[in-house]
Amino acid sequence: MNKRIIAMVCAGCFFSMAAVCQTVLFINAGSRASYGQQQELLVDANGNCRYRLSIVNGPVKDSSSFALLPGQLDSLFRKAVAAGFFSLQHNYDGGAADGAGIYISMNHAGQQHYVQLKNTDVPAINQFITLLNTMLAPRQIRINYGQFVPPRPR
């Protein structure tokens, strides 16, 4: 009987911790070929982030953990909603065999959705990533998936 109670308490603690640490944003960006670099960013409901830059099928080149402020996380969700993220198609493919792309999975306010781009451009995703990159800039992180970068003014 005591073992059963302990198991139930442990299971309850585990599920409580899982709810607190729920991933609300996951991004995998970069090369879609068998070479190049990929980035991963996981953000939990409290704004805690884990970032990793690695060689495709190779070693990790950089990793870090940090936190976004609650207002920053809220701004990201507002941008996603305003840009229509939750109504985008799941897949956009430019047709090339390799190249660059991005996968974004978001879980916010009862809505879950993912979008995957490969060798193509979707303005709503660019708007979202532009805001995210602004927030990541102090950490010298830039999510890069081969997106269109406007030329700098001369």
Side-chain angles (χ1 to χ4, degrees), residues 77-128:
F77 291 135
R78 282 196 317 269
K79 175 57 88 175
V81 169
F85 176 84
F86 292 98
S87 61
L88 292 173
Q89 297 174 41
H90 287 296
N91 292 297
Y92 296 86
D93 192 337
D98 56 13
I102 189 168
Y103 173 88
I104 303 172
S105 174
M106 196 175 301
N107 180 1
H108 174 66
Q111 292 183 295
Q112 295 179 349
H113 193 67
Y114 75 88
V115 175
Q116 182 168 262
L117 309 180
K118 183 177 172 189
N119 298 317
T120 192
D121 197 34
V122 174
I125 299 300
N126 290 340
Q127 293 171 17
F128 178 77

Side-chain angles (χ1 to χ4, degrees), residues 4-71:
R4 185 178 220 172
I5 292 172
I6 291 171
M8 288 175 30
V9 169
C10 289
C13 290
F14 174 76
F15 287 114
S16 295
M17 288 173 39
V20 169
C21 301
Q22 178 184 16
T23 299
V24 295
L25 176 63
F26 171 75
I27 296 174
N28 175 285
S31 178
R32 295 306 185 238
S34 59
Y35 54 89
Q37 298 185 115
Q38 283 189 344
Q39 300 169 288
E40 286 189 353
L41 177 68
L42 285 98
V43 182
D44 74 18
N46 296 323
N48 298 311
C49 304
R50 290 189 327 221
Y51 171 79
R52 185 177 75 172
L53 171 66
S54 60
I55 301 296
V56 174
N57 300 319
V60 173
K61 292 177 65 177
D62 187 22
S63 66
S64 62
S65 296
F66 55 92
L68 295 174
L69 299 172

Side-chain angles (χ1 to χ4, degrees), residues 127-139:
Q127 293 171 17
F128 178 77
I129 294 299
T130 297
L131 176 61
L132 177 61
N133 280 338
T134 301
M135 293 176 188
L136 298 176
R139 291 167 177 79

